[in-house]
Amino acid sequence: DASVAVYFTEHVRLLPTTAAADDDTTITLRDCGPDMLCGSKLWDDATSADDRITTLTHGDVVVSDGTARAKPFGRVDIDVAGCSPGRKCELVVAAGTFADIGDDVATPRRTNARQVVYFHRGSAAEEGSTFVKHEHTSCAQGDNYGYAGYIQVSELSPAAAMDLCHSKCGMGCVGSRCFCDGYDETMTASDPVLCASAEPCRNACEADPMCVGFDMHVSKSQCLLARAHTCTATQRSAQYHHHARHHGRACTSPGDFKVSDGALHV
């Protein structure tokens, strides 16, 4: 989730930028630099402007509804998608950006202290993925319809391209990582078919942000990486099992435990 939660002691509302008197009503996102040392430069130092990612707009901020008891008290969620995965960033909430939700609109009591939040945004690899197997299904553009729904040869990462069936097995391969039972002599250099077991296929998909899953042959060491925006649905297949990718590790988020399957009494 690319957001940071900031908490106040009261329910607050976001003020329009014209409501401030002398100070900015801005929320600014800044990359901490290659050394990841946040706060190593003064915020008003001219050199820090180079690290500034964006000044966030009202659309980037969701304020908890003070009338809804289910909402966290005084919580403000701020979209920080501008901070690249794997980077450490600084979120600066200027003084006067928020006011007490119960104050008069014309004369609000603005927050009088600047808030600075440092955070590390995990990379896709750190956040991980879960793959759900759907037996005898494949990408709707796959199977007998060519390879339109899959990541193409030119789009594969160098690591994934090492497992391309045509280049790895076409001239013969020796070793424990060949998996050439998935090779077919009719394959060409433009076919994005990987000769690999399920584990390397999964790893190749997890490392590629374009990959939304992979189709694994039912009996051979052969897979295809499903491409986002082109593999938008699945169909029945006699040849493949589709493994749909879902971001986040299983059983690591409170939301994974919301559904109850029953009770066990001992």
Side-chain angles (χ1 to χ4, degrees), residues 4 29-30 32 38 80 83 87-91 117-121:
V4 167
L29 191 61
R30 172 192 174 204
C32 291
C38 297
V80 292
C83 180
R87 302 294 297 175
K88 192 171 184 180
C89 293
E90 180 181 64
L91 187 69
V117 179
Y118 304 120
F119 64 94
H120 176 268
R121 188 176 175 203

Side-chain angles (χ1 to χ4, degrees), residues 78-184:
I78 303 174
D79 185 350
V80 292
C83 180
S84 300
R87 302 294 297 175
K88 192 171 184 180
C89 293
E90 180 181 64
L91 187 69
V92 179
V93 181
T97 303
F98 294 93
D100 190 300
I101 198 170
D103 283 355
D104 184 86
V105 174
T107 58
R109 289 179 297 168
R110 295 188 297 274
T111 51
N112 57 9
R114 188 181 74 173
Q115 295 199 40
V116 181
V117 179
Y118 304 120
F119 64 94
H120 176 268
R121 188 176 175 203
S123 65
E126 290 170 326
E127 293 169 354
S129 302
T130 300
F131 289 83
V132 179
K133 182 180 179 181
H134 301 273
E135 293 192 345
H136 295 292
T137 61
S138 71
C139 181
Q141 288 78 19
D143 235 8
N144 298 322
Y145 299 92
Y147 302 116
Y150 301 107
I151 296 176
Q152 300 301 298
V153 171
S154 61
E155 299 172 322
L156 289 170
S157 67
M162 291 178 64
D163 285 324
L164 281 167
C165 289
H166 183 268
S167 57
K168 182 167 73 169
C169 302
M171 299 297 291
C173 178
V174 178
S176 59
R177 289 185 52 84
C178 290
F179 300 105
C180 287
D181 63 294
Y183 174 66
D184 187 315

Side-chain angles (χ1 to χ4, degrees), residues 227-246:
R227 191 183 193 282
H229 308 304
T230 52
C231 182
T232 55
T234 56
Q235 64 181 10
R236 294 296 298 168
S237 170
Q239 301 181 52
Y240 293 97
H241 298 320
H242 182 70
H243 298 251
R245 180 183 183 182
H246 300 271

Side-chain angles (χ1 to χ4, degrees), residues 166-207:
H166 183 268
S167 57
K168 182 167 73 169
C169 302
M171 299 297 291
C173 178
V174 178
S176 59
R177 289 185 52 84
C178 290
F179 300 105
C180 287
D181 63 294
Y183 174 66
D184 187 315
E185 291 183 354
T186 63
M187 291 178 179
T188 67
S190 62
D191 293 344
V193 186
L194 305 184
C195 281
S197 63
E199 184 177 358
C201 291
R202 173 196 171 111
N203 293 341
C205 183
E206 191 166 22

Side-chain angles (χ1 to χ4, degrees), residues 55-69:
T55 298
L56 302 177
T57 65
H58 280 213
D60 299 308
V61 182
V62 177
V63 180
S64 296
D65 183 356
T67 62
R69 293 186 178 182

Side-chain angles (χ1 to χ4, degrees), residues 246-261:
H246 300 271
H247 290 285
R249 299 290 188 194
C251 301
T252 56
S253 168
D256 295 333
F257 303 93
K258 287 182 178 179
V259 178
S260 174
D261 284 334

